[in-house]
Structures are given as C-alpha cells and as structure tokens.
Amino acid sequence: MSIVKELQQIINPEHILIDEPLKNHTYTKLGGVADYFVTPSTVEEVQEIIRYANKTDVPFTLLGNGSNVIVRDGGIRGIVLSLKKFSGIKREEDKVIAESGARIIDASRFALSEYLTGLEFACGIPGTVGGALYMNAGAYGGEVKDCLESALVVDSTGEVHRLPADAFALEYRTSNIAEKGYIVLEATFSLEEEKYDDIKAVMDDLTYKRESKQPLEYPSCGSVFKRPPGYFAGKLIQDSELQGKGIGGAEVSNKHAGFIVNKNKATATDYISVIEMVQREVKAKFGVELEREVRILGED
C-alpha cells in the first residue's frame, strides 16, 4: 500500500497534500516541496501519524507556522506535519490555555481581552505557541519561561504527557524539546489579573517599537541570530557595515541589521549564504561567533 493510502486511513484525505510547496508555509517565502504535508485535527491523529512514521521509517518533520525557519530549496522528504488546526485558546481561572498551532501573538491578545497580564512581551512574536516553547521565545525583557506553567506533549513513541515547565530546560532561546523528541500540543500560561488599559498600554508601546524598527514590509524569518554574551548581534552586524549587502535576492536589512530579508525572489540558498557571510564578517572583525536562532530544515 502506498504512503498516501496509508495516511488516508489515519486522517481525512483532504488534510494530506502531496508535493506541497513549503514557500507557502514559511515567513521567508522560501523552500522546496514537502513529499506529504499533513494537517491532523485531533490528538489521536497526531499519535497515529507518529506511530506510522516509526513503524515504516518514513522521515518525519514537524513544522510550525514557519516564522523562525528556513526550508532549503530541495524541500523536505517524507511527512511534514503541521499543527495549524490546533489553534484553540481558552481561559481557566487565571490561566490561558493555548493549543500549539495558535499564534503566540493571539494568545497575548486573548490574555488582554481577559484582563490578564504576563504575555505582553509576545504581542509582536508571530510564531506558534508550540514554536514559542521550542525556542523559549521572548522579546523586550520577557520570555515564555516567565509564565509557562505546564505543557501537553506527545513523545516520539506517540504517548501523551502533561509536564511542568521545568521539565523543558527553558533557557535563552532554547529548550530540550527537540532533544527529548516532544511535540507540543498545548501550553498553559499562569497569568495575573490587571487593568485592561494598563495591559494595552504596554502592548501598544511594544507594537510601536516593533513596527518602527523591524523590516516588516519584506519576507523574513525575523531575528536571525541569538544575542552573543556581552554584545548585541544587530550592532555587531551594523558595525561590520553589512546592511544592504546581500547575495542573490536576499540581503541584510537596512532597517534592522539583525534581519535578513527576501527582497527580490531570493532562493533559500541565497538566504543561507547571506547568513554565512554575516557570520564570517563579524567573526573576522570582532572575533565573535554569531549563533543562529533560526532553524534550517530540508535538503539542497
């Protein structure tokens, strides 16, 4: 039996796309095709897909909403699983419970509507809740680890667990989620009640800072590099006189040096080449190794 027919026995055939261009699912608008792009709608379907991939040795990749990832031009073999149908957000007591496919920015806005404070930092982060946990996303002095209480995950064997926040070893832009083989299904954030106007004022200020400083007019993966100890990545890149320099259709943003933009029909190879150029130049000029924050998936 073909892979497609076997997958159709697990999930709705309409939720399986063959040779799906991943540029349609990444913020950089880059990337080759996924052999099988699947969008399950229940926890049981996720479990069965994982078990099927394990049983058949079909390659398996989890993709969020593609905001902090670059997919190479050759695409991704095997099954690419998207949890975009897991998008629910609700309140229980002073907690916001968000499914992994919901955008963390939407969880932040929901918290505002419920007069709950603690997620304001996320009001400009476009990634999913699952992706935010994966990299302990943060901005403007806040990060996921500050308010995460627990998460529901499925492990590499297809078993579901609810784990406390400290089980994920959340540190600056990192966690052990990939190492443990977890897929996040849902996150519970512990927040506090506050006046609506006070929460909104903070979010409006952060939104202004983001929109005025970031090159949102071009496709990009957001901030490319982690902050090196004792430095700011954007300042190092700016002082290396790399803004406006590029390869092919990708270049270092003139608006924010920490961003690389797809300015003119770039390929993933162009984009990755610019990342490597920036790393070389900053290392040569300042002796500082810039570590990528963005993930690179797929093959050339």
Side-chain angles (χ1 to χ4, degrees):
M1 188 181 295
S2 71
I3 292 174
V4 173
K5 288 183 178 179
E6 291 183 308
L7 287 173
Q8 287 174 344
Q9 293 185 337
I10 298 173
I11 68 172
N12 187 328
E14 294 180 358
H15 300 164
I16 304 167
L17 300 176
I18 302 170
D19 292 336
E20 173 67 6
L22 291 171
K23 66 181 180 181
N24 297 338
H25 303 278
T26 62
Y27 272 54
T28 57
K29 304 301 180 186
L30 304 172
V33 303
D35 290 345
Y36 311 101
F37 186 85
V38 300
T39 52
S41 57
T42 69
V43 171
E44 291 74 21
E45 287 177 350
V46 175
Q47 291 176 287
E48 288 305 310
I49 291 168
I50 292 170
R51 289 167 180 157
Y52 169 75
N54 288 338
K55 179 179 69 175
T56 59
D57 289 327
V58 174
F60 175 87
T61 303
L62 176 68
L63 183 70
N65 69 348
S67 64
N68 196 245
V69 67
I70 300 166
V71 176
R72 295 182 187 272
D73 297 312
I76 301 177
R77 303 289 67 78
I79 298 168
V80 174
L81 184 145
S82 166
L83 293 178
K84 66 181 182 180
K85 295 186 185 301
F86 287 68
S87 59
I89 305 173
K90 64 183 179 180
R91 174 179 181 169
E92 288 186 4
E93 299 177 340
D94 289 346
K95 307 179 196 304
V96 166
I97 301 172
E99 292 183 326
S100 62
R103 297 190 308 163
I104 189 74
I105 187 173
D106 291 333
S108 175
R109 290 168 177 165
F110 177 83
L112 167 65
S113 73
E114 294 291 322
Y115 297 56
L116 293 173
T117 183
L119 273 173
E120 291 90 330
F121 72 89
C123 70
I125 298 175
T128 61
V129 168
L133 266 66
Y134 179 94
M135 64 173 293
N136 185 29
Y140 300 109
E143 55 187 356
V144 165
K145 70 178 293 188
D146 297 337
C147 56
L148 181 68
E149 178 176 284
S150 64
L152 189 71
V153 303
V154 58
D155 66 23
S156 57
T157 69
E159 294 301 311
V160 174
H161 311 270
R162 181 169 296 281
L163 301 174
D166 60 10
F168 301 111
L170 298 172
E171 298 296 342
Y172 176 70
R173 301 300 176 268
T174 190
S175 73
N176 64 8
I177 288 174
E179 174 190 337
K180 295 287 188 180
Y182 296 146
I183 292 175
V184 177
L185 299 173
E186 175 188 278
T188 297
F189 300 101
S190 181
L191 308 176
E192 296 180 2
E193 289 194 350
E194 183 58 89
K195 293 179 180 178
Y196 178 93
D197 289 345
D198 291 347
I199 301 171
K200 188 173 187 301
V202 172
M203 291 175 66
D204 287 348
D205 179 57
L206 296 183
T207 298
Y208 171 77
K209 289 178 179 177
R210 174 176 177 264
E211 292 179 349
S212 63
K213 295 179 180 178
Q214 297 182 10
L216 303 179
E217 65 272 24
Y218 294 111
S220 82
C221 63
S223 181
V224 176
F225 303 103
K226 295 181 181 180
R227 185 179 68 241
Y231 299 91
F232 290 98
K235 184 71 164 57
L236 291 170
I237 298 165
Q238 182 178 343
D239 291 346
S240 298
E241 299 180 347
L242 292 172
Q243 286 180 279
K245 293 187 177 181
I247 296 170
E251 69 176 46
V252 179
S253 169
N254 278 306
K255 191 172 185 180
H256 190 307
F259 284 62
I260 293 170
V261 295
N262 177 359
K263 194 168 183 180
N264 185 24
K265 299 179 181 178
T267 64
T269 300
D270 293 340
Y271 207 96
I272 294 167
S273 295
V274 175
I275 291 175
E276 293 169 346
M277 175 190 73
V278 169
Q279 289 172 316
R280 285 195 306 270
E281 293 293 327
V282 169
K283 172 69 173 175
K285 190 172 181 68
F286 296 103
V288 177
E289 299 269 6
L290 288 181
E291 182 182 354
R292 278 189 289 105
E293 180 176 305
V294 62
R295 290 193 300 151
I296 298 176
L297 303 176
E299 58 188 38
D300 290 321

